[in-house]
Structure formats: C-alpha cells, structure tokens
C-alpha cells in the first residue's frame, strides 16, 4: 500500500472536519479514485465534486494522474486570495 | 534560474505589510521606477451582490503558495525582462476593513518598459494560481469566497 | 468640486515618503485595491547617455506645483470616475540613490476599473505640468535636467 | 507703472543669479516684452529664449498675455520632476 498525506483547505476542510488525513492507497491509484474514496467517506464533499482542485507535491494535478509514493496531496476549492 | 542577481521576494505572512521596506529591498542602483498593487479589505461592496463586510479571514497552503508566487515572478520576468525586483506578499489571518491584504511590487529602470503591466499581471495571476482562500465575515454571517479559475495540471 | 468627500492629497515635501501611511489616508470603506507609482533616484543609467548619478537635487515652485498636482488629480477623476482616493507627492531637496522621489497613489473598489491607468496618467502628467526640476549630480559634474513638454497657456 | 514680482527657477535662476526680482513695467506690457527686458539685462538667458516657460499667477501663460496688476510672474525651463 501507498501511504499518502492529504491536506484540506477552506470549504473542503469544513466539510471533512479535518485539516489533514493519512490514507493507504493501492498502488497505481489516481487522483480521481482518491476523490471518489473521499466523497464516499465524507458525503458533504459531493456538492463540490465539480470544482475540487487537486495538487500533488504542490503542483496542480489532473484527475488521471497516478499518485506517487509518499506524496503530499492537497484538495481545495478554486483559489480566492489577493 | 536565468536571473540570479535580481531580487525576488515571495512571502505568506501574518504581519502587517510594510510597503516602504519591501520596496527598499527590491530597489537596485539601476532602479528608477516602481509600481505597487495592494489589495485592501473592502467593508462596503456595491458590485455584484451588495453587502457589508466586517473582516476577512485568509488561509493559505503556504509551501505551495510560495512556490506558485515564485512561478508568477518567473512568468513576469519572462514577459517583461526589464523588470528588476519583484515582491509578492500575501497576508493571512484575520484582516480588518481597510487593511492591505496583498502586495505585488515591481521595479524597473523606467516607467515605460512594462512595470505597470507586470504588477497588473502579478495580481491577476496570484488570484488564479496561488492557493490562498478568504472567508468574508459580515453582519449576515460568514461565507468562503471561491475563485473562478481552474489551473491546468502543472500550471 | 464635484467630489468633496473623496480624499485628495497633494504635497511638496522634504520628508521621507511614507507610502503605507499615505495609502491609509486615501483608503475608504469601499476601497478594495490601490496602485502606487514611485519614482526612485537611479544611480546607474544605461538608456540614452549612459552615466552614473550620485544624487539628485530637486527644486519646486511649491504653490504652483500643488495647484498643478490638484489639477492632475481632477483630470484623473474626470477620466476614471471610479477612482476613490488620490495622493500625489513630490519630495524635494537632496535625494540619494535608491530614495523614492515621488508617489502617485490611487485607490478604487476594484482593480479593473482604471486604477492602474489612473496612476500611470498621474505620473505622466506630473512630468508634464507640475513645476519641479531636478539637477543630476555625478562623478562628471552636475547638470539640470530639462523636460520636453511645453504646456499650453492655461493648461 | 505696474510693479511685478518675478520668480526664477532651475537654470534660469542660475543664469540670472537670483531667485526673485521686482520690476516696474509699463501698463499693458506682455510676457514677451518682459522676456525681452530680462534677456537684455541678463544676456545668458538668450540661449534659453526658445524654451523658457512663463506662469502668471501660477498658471501657464502665453507670450502675448498682458501682465495684470501686482502679478506673480515665474520663468522656468520645461519641468523635470517625478
């Protein structure tokens, strides 16, 4: 299994109720698969499925990206700084 | 890095922003002009949904935010090679009405070689790709603000 | 005056410029963005006649300069009615390399309603019609700088 | 006669050797006439005749403007602030 650290920000943190999670993923899991897993576990995330952004090791990631070993994954809504 | 000697400051901070000292740090002997953009906590908004705001609560994903700020600075240098110093700073935490929230500052030898456009580009890109979020707190409650831009993978 | 409640600061001063405090004075509850231009004493010039500068000596005709700065501010308000606060400050006296010499600052509710263009216009007009002159002092001697613009009568 | 106060700045001050002068002018004298009078008195001004700017009571003035009573006149080179 591949242990990944997941960081959550803004609304997503509120919906999950945690700033960070650690999860074991099967090798070869994609960002899309991890999103499905999180939404299944935290159903409030369903309503932001279409707008969730993902970053892998601090770079924006595609849904189909395979999650590397020991990755730092972050999920968050579209940014609104400034 | 093609520009190892040109000052680039990127920073996520909880401290009050100090524009004068930031400018001094990105001023070279060849600098003759600077342009600074600041965001400010707006208490009264009339555009879109008119509303009052008491304060903003900013949150960042600091290591990625600073990486993306550095990327914005590199994009500025590619587009406007005459830019000398760049500072991109985002304040986070609880910010009251009237407080500066962000500073994008660019210096150059002269004012007509893109320094205004560079600062404008900097704030536009910060609002697209730098992972920072704000929550508006007002008399009617609180609400996270969501941007509109979806960066491409690797952007 | 069509805009009696909007802050306008015009000033000729020998003091060090304090951008943070100037911005605070032109920030309204409805302000969400500001753009600041500063001129800086350039020690090394490569454009035109390449040269080194040790310091600049600025001189003004203060009452007319402040009248003309006020006129520039009014021109900005006519062209960009969304601008809220305006500060136009020129420092005079002996200024060393790296020192900010002038500040043109404009505030507005949002960044996309002309606040960048307003600040750019402000510095361009200051260099056309505000009676201030500078002498360059360098290793090769000293020389008054002359502008190129000839204002129309009454301009 | 009309007594006017004349202020000089930058190069013009250097050429005249004074920051300010007071002069009595005949009624109806124009800016151009005053310029001629100053250049006659301070010949170094000749070389900036073409670029001298004039202000009457803190407004840019035309050569043909008639100088009003008790005016504050200023002569200076094109501005170079910023």
């Amino acid at each position: 299994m591949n242990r990944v650290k997941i960081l959550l920000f803004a609304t997503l943190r509120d919906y999950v109720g945690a700033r960070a999670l650690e999860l074991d993923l099967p090798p070869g899991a994609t960002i899309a698969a991890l999103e499905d897993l999180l939404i299944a576990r935290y159903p409030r995330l369903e309503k932001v499925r279409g707008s969730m952004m993902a970053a892998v090791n601090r770079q924006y990631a595609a849904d189909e990206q395979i999650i590397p070993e020991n990755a730092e994954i972050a999920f968050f809504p579209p940014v609104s700084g400034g | 890095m093609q520009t190892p000697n040109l000052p680039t400051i990127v920073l996520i901070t909880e401290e009050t922003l100090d524009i004068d000292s930031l400018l001094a740090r990105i001023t070279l002997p060849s600098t003759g002009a600077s342009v600074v953009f600041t965001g400010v906590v707006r208490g009264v908004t009339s555009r879109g949904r008119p509303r009052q705001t008491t304060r903003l609560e900013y949150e960042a994903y600091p290591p990625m935010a600073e990486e993306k700020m550095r990327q914005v600075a590199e994009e500025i240098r590619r587009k406007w090679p005459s830019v000398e110093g760049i500072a991109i700073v985002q304040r986070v935490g609880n910010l009251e009405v009237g407080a500066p929230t962000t500073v994008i500052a660019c210096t150059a030898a002269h004012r007509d070689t893109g320094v205004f456009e560079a600062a404008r580009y900097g704030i536009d890109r910060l609002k697209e790709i730098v992972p920072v979020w704000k929550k508006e707190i007002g008399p009617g409650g609180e609400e996270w603000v969501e941007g509109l831009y979806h960066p491409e993978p690797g952007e």
Side-chain angles (χ1 to χ4, degrees), chain A, chain B:
Chain A
M1 297 298 273
N2 175 14
R3 166 139 294 222
V4 294
K5 184 177 176 189
I6 300 163
L7 303 174
L8 299 152
F9 294 95
T11 37
L12 275 62
R13 174 167 49 70
D14 291 351
Y15 292 161
V16 169
R19 291 179 180 278
L21 304 169
E22 295 216 349
L23 281 183
D24 290 315
L25 296 179
T30 62
I31 286 290
L34 174 54
E35 275 190 30
D36 288 341
L37 191 156
L38 284 173
I39 293 168
R41 193 175 292 190
Y42 305 97
R44 292 183 68 198
L45 292 176
E46 180 62 52
K47 66 173 164 184
V48 291
R49 184 195 282 271
S51 67
M52 268 168 88
M53 316 287 314
V56 173
N57 293 332
R58 304 167 188 175
Q59 290 297 329
Y60 287 104
D63 285 351
E64 61 274 19
Q65 183 171 337
I66 291 170
I67 297 171
E69 295 279 320
N70 301 115
E72 178 179 296
I73 312 293
F75 288 106
F76 46 76
V79 307
S80 61
Chain B
M1 295 292 289
Q2 300 158 336
T3 50
N5 296 315
L6 296 177
T8 301
I9 298 170
V10 300
L11 185 65
I12 300 286
T13 180
E14 299 200 2
E15 306 295 317
T16 302
L17 303 176
D18 180 340
I19 295 169
D20 297 284
S21 97
L22 279 170
L23 272 186
R25 292 169 60 198
I26 60 168
T27 295
L28 299 182
S30 50
T31 295
S34 83
V35 174
V36 182
F37 173 86
T38 74
V40 178
V41 179
R42 193 172 49 244
V44 178
T45 299
S46 38
R47 184 194 279 184
R49 179 174 55 84
R51 61 195 184 279
Q52 296 213 314
T53 303
T54 311
R55 64 173 208 274
L56 295 177
E57 238 178 81
Y58 280 81
E59 170 179 331
Y61 175 15
M64 180 171 172
E66 292 185 359
E67 273 190 39
K68 290 291 145 187
M69 286 169 158
R70 199 164 288 281
Q71 175 181 325
V72 171
E74 285 162 12
E75 290 177 10
I76 288 173
R77 293 198 185 285
R78 269 200 302 280
K79 285 174 182 280
W80 292 281
S82 61
V83 166
E84 296 181 340
I86 301 175
I88 303 179
V89 184
Q90 171 75 54
R91 193 173 172 197
V92 293
N94 268 312
L95 303 186
E96 304 294 324
V97 169
T101 60
T102 188
V103 167
I104 314 287
C106 297
T107 60
H110 304 277
R111 74 188 184 287
D112 59 359
T113 59
V115 73
F116 280 90
E117 294 80 356
R120 173 68 195 261
Y121 179 85
I123 182 60
D124 287 348
R125 284 297 273 165
L126 179 137
K127 284 170 169 276
E128 287 180 347
I129 66 168
V130 176
V132 173
W133 304 270
K134 62 184 164 220
K135 187 157 61 172
E136 287 189 4
I137 292 103
E142 53 180 65
E143 186 171 12
W144 283 102
V145 182
E146 257 189 37
L148 296 170
Y149 190 79
H150 286 240
E152 296 293 311
E155 183 172 350

